[in-house]
Amino acid sequence: MTVTSVHDPSHREALWELEDAFERGDLISVFGRCTVSYEGRAASDLGAGDRLLVLKPDGAALVHTDEGRQPVNWQPPGSEHHAAVREGRLRVRSTRSDPDETLTVRFDRVHQLSAMAVTGGRNLTLHGSEEDLRTRVLERPELVEPGFEPKETERPSSAGPMDVFGVDADGTPVVVELKRRRVGPDAVGQLARYVRALREEIAAEDGDDGGDTPVVRGVLVAPSVTDRARGRLADRGFGHVALDPTSEE
Amino acid sequence: MTVTSVHDPSHREALWELEDAFERGDLISVFGRCTVSYEGRAASDLGAGDRLLVLKPDGAALVHTDEGRQPVNWQPPGSEHHAAVREGRLRVRSTRSDPDETLTVRFDRVHQLSAMAVTGGRNLTLHGSEEDLRTRVLERPELVEPGFEPKETERPSSAGPMDVFGVDADGTPVVVELKRRRVGPDAVGQLARYVRALREEIAAEDGDDGGDTPVVRGVLVAPSVTDRARGRLADRGFGHVALDPTSEE
DNA sequence: GGATTTATGTCGGGG
DNA sequence: CCCCGACGTAAATCC
């Protein structure tokens, strides 16, 4: 873990630090007195004031004041950052094309500059709700349907592990696919692969080649589904249970 | 101008600095390795990773990773920040009510903490907004069409206020809908609601129940329209004028 | 890759 | 306070 930080640097020093941080792919924060101008889809100007500039290695740039959830000015990811000293000020410029947009921050004075190499926790942005959804279903299986009885989670199959495997009130095998938010047809396809895999597995166990396909039901548990997904569910005879990870009931 | 900053503080030190900064109403940035959990309108959990936490004196809290314009987790303005050392970690919690929401950031380690008193400079002047487009149309109505004469802006109707209301060279009422950028079918629907409302209003005034529907024209002013929107415009007999807020002519 | 839909949208204005 | 619409919306998904 590497953090570099300088307090009250000269513009020249700040420039060096910035360029090194760009090179390393650091996440950068700059406190200072600056003016901001933007030109692109719209145009804006911001007079001198103390603000926080955040520069990300993916090209995003954010100018924050002391108020609001939204940055007062910004540049989206995919932009390119450049720094220079011009007219006695530190100028940080972030540009992108398509559409052409430029954000320019001119610092009269830099109070504090910090840069951190971001190592972990980038992609493990596990939005914890699918886990919650599984917990809910296991604790209250009647939410899926009356009489449903979960047997196994992450049950292996030739199509990969299925979220929840169980049996319904009649003892018929049920494959449950969990999605923490509104789903499209892809989720139905995923469910279908598990169901087909399980049918083949059961047929093989029964030595039942050529006979009727074994009955295996599929249920998609998700807050909602797209129209197209709903159609596919109907085509395949699968059920849909409207449940979201956070609701109380 | 006061900036305080500490490098690799102990949790206890960091806590002191945070509480002082809260007291002073500073804008705060914290680099460190942390886990994040949120519970409220939705729920989420983030595993350990290096991130940037920004705390604002208005109650806003932002957790930024190295990617994206949006914070990975946040709390809106109006929340309350609290800091404490719990279980050997620095815990920063931001809560609000209505709706009840809690953001909790637990730092395994704080790499850098900075706080700045922010003064002035929140006056942003933005050009190229829908407001600018309205100004252009009012100053140069011939850009909509020769002979067009604006009568009223934000004219009320049962479908809500229409952007610009006026008459054409023949004296026929015209409803103008302004969009600052390329539009889809939704904008045509919005325009259609205004036109229908105005037709009903005029029919009612004329005591003209059952007669021909009064003539009211609809014009969509926008830089461009999608194919689908173009189709709907044609269906309804509405016009489209290609104008964008920033162009000089 | 463009069109469409969602979002813990955020934010401001008007009744 | 709620409702509605704009936003330099951003971001994911559909097609």
Side-chain angles (χ1 to χ4, degrees), chain B residues 226-241:
Chain B
T226 65
D227 283 349
R228 193 172 298 268
R230 185 177 305 281
R232 282 216 206 173
L233 282 170
D235 292 347
R236 314 241 188 200
F238 295 156
H240 166 228
V241 173

Side-chain angles (χ1 to χ4, degrees), chain A residues 116, chain B residues 30-34 49-52 107 109-112:
Chain A
M116 173 173 66
Chain B
V30 186
F31 274 121
R33 184 171 177 81
C34 59
D50 295 311
R51 308 194 178 90
L52 169 66
F107 285 93
R109 216 182 132 189
V110 175
H111 301 304
Q112 171 76 32

Side-chain angles (χ1 to χ4, degrees), chain A residues 1 3 5 7 27 29 31 41-46 48-52 54 56-58 60 62 64-71 73-74 77 111-112 114 116-122 124-129 246, chain B residues 1 3 5 7 27 29 31-32 42-52 54 56-58 60 62 64-71 74-75 77 111-112 114 116-127 180:
Chain A
M1 162 48 38
V3 173
S5 94
H7 183 76
L27 177 57
S29 107
F31 274 120
R41 286 170 289 175
S44 74
D45 284 289
L46 196 48
D50 294 311
R51 308 193 180 91
L52 169 66
V54 175
K56 297 193 178 192
D58 73 347
L62 312 169
H64 274 280
T65 66
D66 61 340
E67 286 186 345
R69 210 222 54 144
Q70 301 289 40
N73 272 118
W74 71 92
H111 300 304
Q112 169 74 32
S114 304
M116 173 173 66
V118 174
T119 52
R122 188 160 52 253
L124 37 151
T125 63
L126 163 88
H127 219 64
S129 309
T246 52
Chain B
M1 163 48 38
V3 172
S5 94
H7 183 75
L27 177 57
S29 106
F31 274 121
S44 73
D45 283 289
L46 275 175
D50 295 311
R51 308 194 178 90
L52 169 66
V54 175
K56 298 194 177 192
D58 72 347
L62 312 168
H64 274 280
T65 67
D66 61 339
E67 287 186 346
R69 207 217 63 140
Q70 299 291 51
W74 72 91
Q75 197 69 290
H111 301 304
Q112 171 76 32
S114 305
M116 173 173 63
V118 171
T119 61
R122 270 200 303 283
N123 28 34
L124 176 78
T125 58
L126 178 71
H127 331 282
R180 58 175 303 282

Side-chain angles (χ1 to χ4, degrees), chain B residues 94-235:
Chain B
S94 181
T95 58
R96 72 160 175 163
S97 46
D98 196 36
D100 276 322
E101 288 187 303
T102 304
L103 176 72
T104 309
V105 183
R106 291 185 178 86
F107 285 93
D108 299 327
R109 216 182 132 189
V110 175
H111 301 304
Q112 171 76 32
L113 187 159
S114 305
M116 173 173 63
V118 171
T119 61
R122 270 200 303 283
N123 28 34
L124 176 78
T125 58
L126 178 71
H127 331 282
S129 61
E130 180 167 320
E131 173 65 32
D132 289 348
L133 187 54
R134 170 164 48 236
T135 305
R136 276 193 85 204
V137 164
L138 295 182
E139 286 178 353
R140 307 194 48 194
E142 76 278 8
L143 291 176
V144 174
E145 64 178 37
F148 175 66
E149 193 181 331
K151 291 291 190 188
E152 216 173 330
T153 66
E154 302 298 328
R155 182 191 186 285
S157 80
S158 64
M162 46 193 77
D163 287 339
V164 177
F165 167 73
V167 295
D168 68 11
D170 299 330
T172 303
V174 179
V175 176
V176 178
E177 175 67 21
L178 304 172
K179 291 292 173 192
R180 58 175 303 282
R181 60 171 193 173
R182 181 176 175 84
V183 298
D186 52 335
V188 185
Q190 193 176 346
L191 176 56
R193 287 194 299 278
Y194 295 141
V195 168
R196 183 170 56 245
L198 190 56
R199 282 178 179 151
E200 286 169 1
E201 188 181 318
I202 293 176
E205 278 176 9
D206 294 354
D208 187 8
D209 12 44
D212 291 340
T213 54
V215 175
V216 174
R217 296 176 49 212
V219 175
L220 184 61
V221 174
S224 67
V225 299
T226 65
D227 283 349
R228 193 172 298 268
R230 185 177 305 281
R232 282 216 206 173
L233 282 170
D235 292 347

Side-chain angles (χ1 to χ4, degrees), chain A residues 69-101:
Chain A
R69 210 222 54 144
Q70 301 289 40
V72 63
N73 272 118
W74 71 92
Q75 198 68 290
S79 311
E80 285 199 357
H81 307 315
H82 293 283
V85 176
R86 289 284 179 280
E87 301 168 6
R89 290 180 297 183
L90 175 69
R91 187 189 71 191
V92 180
R93 188 171 263 175
S94 181
T95 58
R96 72 159 177 166
S97 47
D98 197 40
D100 276 322
E101 289 187 301

